[in-house]
Amino acid sequence: MRSQGEIEAAICDIITRFQQEYMGRGPRRVHTHLFENKLFVHLDGVLTAAEQRLIESHHNGNSRAAELLKQLRGHLVLAGRQTLEAMVREVTGAEPINVHHDISTATGEEVIVVTLASPPACREAGRPARPRQRR
């Protein structure tokens, strides 16, 4: 059984891998917080070079650029949702029941909130995991 910190670290790893596979680039930083049955994931530095150029064109008069980027990112998360949910299920042992997503085109920050059917079972922090017994 993992500690809460180990679950949070593993979620950071799978979200980074998901971002690399589905978005073409991983975040510069990712932080995860588990609170009861909710995972809050904050990603920073997620925009690709092409997305950054699109946003720059927004500042030069293209008012639809930010809206288009948010829609595209939302569709990409939706397209990979089953994969993301399977990865979360494997790490937490709990069934994901909802995924929320948003991105700030101004800051390049992204948030993902996953609601789980139940809080994951966690061992107390500071207590070592039980060693596996050999048969």
Side-chain angles (χ1 to χ4, degrees):
M1 182 182 312
R2 296 178 178 184
S3 70
Q4 180 174 332
E6 290 170 334
I7 290 173
E8 291 170 344
I11 293 295
C12 287
D13 291 343
I14 66 165
I15 293 293
T16 298
R17 193 168 72 233
F18 177 81
Q19 288 278 321
Q20 289 170 338
E21 292 172 6
Y22 280 86
M23 308 302 180
R25 176 190 168 161
R28 272 194 318 244
R29 287 182 298 277
V30 59
H31 299 282
T32 299
H33 300 282
L34 173 62
F35 182 73
E36 296 176 357
N37 69 326
K38 291 168 190 67
L39 288 166
F40 298 90
V41 185
H42 175 261
L43 303 101
D44 188 35
V46 297
L47 297 177
T48 66
E51 290 169 333
Q52 289 172 354
R53 281 191 212 86
L54 182 65
I55 296 307
E56 288 169 8
S57 76
H58 167 70
H59 296 299
N60 295 328
N62 183 356
S63 61
R64 288 197 23 96
E67 179 185 327
L68 290 171
L69 177 57
K70 286 175 83 86
Q71 287 177 358
L72 175 63
R73 283 287 182 137
H75 286 295
L76 287 170
V77 169
L78 184 61
R81 182 175 171 161
Q82 287 183 329
T83 300
L84 180 60
E85 287 177 347
M87 296 165 95
V88 168
R89 185 180 310 109
E90 183 178 331
V91 168
T92 64
E95 188 65 34
I97 57 174
N98 213 339
V99 176
H100 303 278
H101 167 267
D102 197 12
I103 186 168
S104 169
T105 56
T107 63
E109 293 175 298
E110 191 169 12
V111 292
I112 300 171
V113 179
V114 180
T115 305
L116 304 170
S118 61
C122 300
R123 67 176 162 80
E124 290 180 38
R127 292 187 65 183
R130 285 184 142 157
R132 289 187 174 176
Q133 294 184 1
R134 295 180 186 235
R135 293 182 183 191

